[in-house]
Amino acid sequence: MPLLDPLRFGAALGVAVFHQMFWSWAWASIGVPGFERTVAADVLYPSAAPFTWFGWVGVEIFFVISGFVIANSASTASPGEFLLGRALRLYPAVWVCATATFLVLLLFGSGPASEIILPYIHAMLMVPKGVTGQWLDEVYWTLAAETAFYGLVLCAMLTRKITLRHLAFGLTIYSAVFNAIALLVASCTTPSDLPYLLILMFRVPCAAFLLTHGCFFALGIWLFISANRELTALEQLAVAVTCLSGAAEIYVFASFFLTSIPAISDQSAMVPITVWAAAVLLIARAAKRNRHPAPVASPEAPAWLRTLGLITYPLYLTHNVIGSAIIRALIEAGLDATSAVWVALGLLVLVCWFICARIEPAVRSALMQTLAHFGRLPKRLPASRRPALARGLGLRLPLPAPIKVKVAAS
């Protein structure tokens, strides 16, 4: 399913443009400061607001793809292999990008160095900061949701009784109930009211609870299962519930933006919902095509698509603070504000390509050698056990050929 790579890259680019051309100045309307403000240039992009304000929905697209990719990984791995795979995928990029962000804040930031030491340690360990405290970079909040989801999948694998299908049902109901309540609260209050703020708290500060975003991961699992077999009527109902729940979450957050920020008060909450729904439909169509393979094998996806997928993760981790610092340097050098954004993003893509092609593999290799030295590498799961494992994940046998999802795992 090579579609997932450019889709992830497009979602990351949308989030980057949102942060640089909208959130970088519009945040002042609701008083939400971040570390990026210590290095950012004081520029405004009000004319671009109608085209950039909804880029945050790329995160919701990430989560759906993550549910799909992680389900694929878990369906062909032992718990030890799964845990090792997640660690080898996540930590090298985080260590490199968090260190780069820390150095940028240390060298070019206006705040004291003591304020970023603890957030840096949290980022390196991928430990959620909790309700209080500060992120090294605000974009790291999504890693709290991702790691919580990975933990649920690992626990399900360890039990050998809870399948991915069970997990998808649980997340579907769990998140749908909360998002229904959130929608009710949003319809009865305003963004300045305490109940509304408590609901919003579970989107970022308490993301690890998966109350708002659990439906997106569940939808990804359902799409993965649909790529292997026909869904039952009950499962199709669950897919419909996750879609409605996801649309409700997006609507609540979009309404908060539209009500709180005057520059976009004339926009519609249906815009981010439509963008997200279009991405989901693309994944669903690709999953259906995978279930019914063509008589002639399709050619392998070009290598540059795989590269886009690998670039996505470091691009997401660096675009905010480091991207802001590059934009400020370009503007101070005489470049206009709009050109500075696009030049900065182009430079970041090149830097992130170097990270994923050269630095990450070296760090990953060193980590594997360290684990091997202490005897912590899991044994390879024998091929004879894979059918039993697939049954344990709630998939009907015989399975089609394994899905080769050439995409950077979330």
Side-chain angles (χ1 to χ4, degrees):
M1 295 182 63
L3 165 73
L4 297 185
D5 285 310
L7 190 59
R8 280 174 59 86
F9 183 79
L13 196 61
V15 173
V17 171
F18 161 74
H19 279 134
Q20 300 301 353
M21 299 189 74
F22 182 77
W23 190 242
S24 61
W25 57 272
W27 72 272
S29 303
I30 54 178
V32 182
F35 275 131
E36 68 275 8
R37 295 304 302 170
T38 65
V39 296
D42 188 15
V43 292
L44 307 178
Y45 304 92
S47 61
F51 313 102
T52 58
W53 75 271
F54 55 87
W56 50 268
V57 80
V59 170
E60 279 77 356
I61 297 174
F62 287 152
F63 289 158
V64 175
I65 297 175
S66 180
F68 188 106
V69 172
I70 297 308
N72 181 62
S73 298
S75 67
T76 56
S78 67
E81 287 178 310
F82 176 79
L83 182 61
L84 178 66
R86 293 302 89 218
L88 292 177
R89 176 66 190 122
L90 295 179
Y91 276 109
V94 166
W95 291 341
V96 173
C97 297
T99 300
T101 299
F102 176 77
L103 292 176
V104 167
L105 291 171
L106 195 64
L107 296 174
F108 304 106
S110 59
S114 58
E115 289 185 0
I116 60 175
I117 293 177
L118 187 58
Y120 173 64
I121 295 173
H122 282 176
M124 293 291 283
L125 298 176
M126 287 184 62
V127 176
K129 71 177 182 60
V131 178
T132 59
Q134 180 67 278
W135 301 102
L136 180 68
D137 186 339
E138 290 298 326
V139 301
Y140 279 70
W141 73 267
T142 61
L143 295 184
E146 292 278 358
T147 51
F149 174 61
Y150 301 161
L152 284 178
V153 173
L154 179 62
C155 289
M157 296 174 71
L158 289 172
T159 64
R160 298 182 180 273
K161 294 182 179 180
I162 301 176
T163 69
L164 281 179
R165 183 174 178 269
H166 295 148
L167 183 60
F169 271 123
L171 284 174
T172 296
I173 298 170
Y174 172 79
S175 187
V177 170
F178 181 83
N179 284 328
I181 295 173
L183 190 61
L184 179 64
V185 169
S187 64
C188 300
T189 61
T190 65
S192 60
D193 294 331
L194 182 60
Y196 202 117
L197 296 176
L198 289 176
I199 289 294
L200 286 181
M201 184 177 69
F202 285 94
R203 188 180 191 275
V204 176
C206 298
F209 289 99
L210 297 180
L211 279 167
T212 61
H213 297 111
C215 58
F216 301 109
F217 294 108
L219 180 56
I221 296 176
W222 290 127
L223 291 173
F224 168 73
I225 295 176
S226 74
N228 287 274
R229 61 167 172 81
E230 294 280 353
L231 297 180
T232 65
L234 183 60
E235 291 168 345
Q236 291 175 11
L237 176 61
V239 170
V241 171
T242 58
C243 289
L244 291 174
S245 179
E249 190 277 333
I250 296 170
Y251 178 84
V252 170
F253 190 63
S255 298
F256 166 70
F257 261 37
L258 298 176
T259 305
S260 304
I261 302 176
I264 56 171
S265 59
D266 61 338
Q267 298 296 304
S268 170
M270 291 304 298
V271 174
I273 292 176
T274 302
V275 172
W276 174 77
V280 171
L281 286 174
L282 286 174
I283 301 172
R285 183 174 180 180
K288 184 176 181 180
R289 291 181 63 182
N290 183 87
R291 190 171 68 241
H292 303 290
V296 180
S298 58
E300 187 174 351
W304 63 268
L305 284 181
R306 170 63 173 164
T307 302
L308 284 182
L310 293 174
I311 287 174
T312 298
Y313 186 33
L315 176 62
Y316 179 78
L317 294 177
T318 59
H319 76 265
N320 198 32
V321 168
I322 298 176
S324 296
I326 295 174
I327 290 172
R328 188 179 76 172
L330 292 174
I331 290 177
E332 290 177 350
L335 210 60
D336 66 276
T338 302
S339 298
V341 170
W342 296 112
V343 171
L345 288 177
L347 291 173
L348 272 180
V349 168
L350 290 176
V351 170
C352 292
W353 169 82
F354 182 76
I355 290 174
C356 73
R358 296 290 184 269
I359 303 179
E360 268 193 85
V363 176
R364 190 173 294 114
S365 177
L367 179 58
M368 290 188 67
Q369 290 178 8
T370 302
L371 292 173
H373 177 73
F374 289 100
R376 297 302 181 185
L377 287 178
K379 295 181 180 179
R380 184 66 185 171
L381 185 68
S384 59
R385 287 182 53 198
R386 295 191 184 277
L389 181 60
R391 280 193 295 271
L393 293 170
L395 301 175
R396 294 178 181 173
L397 297 177
L399 289 174
I403 301 172
K404 296 180 180 179
V405 182
K406 293 193 173 183
V407 63
S410 300

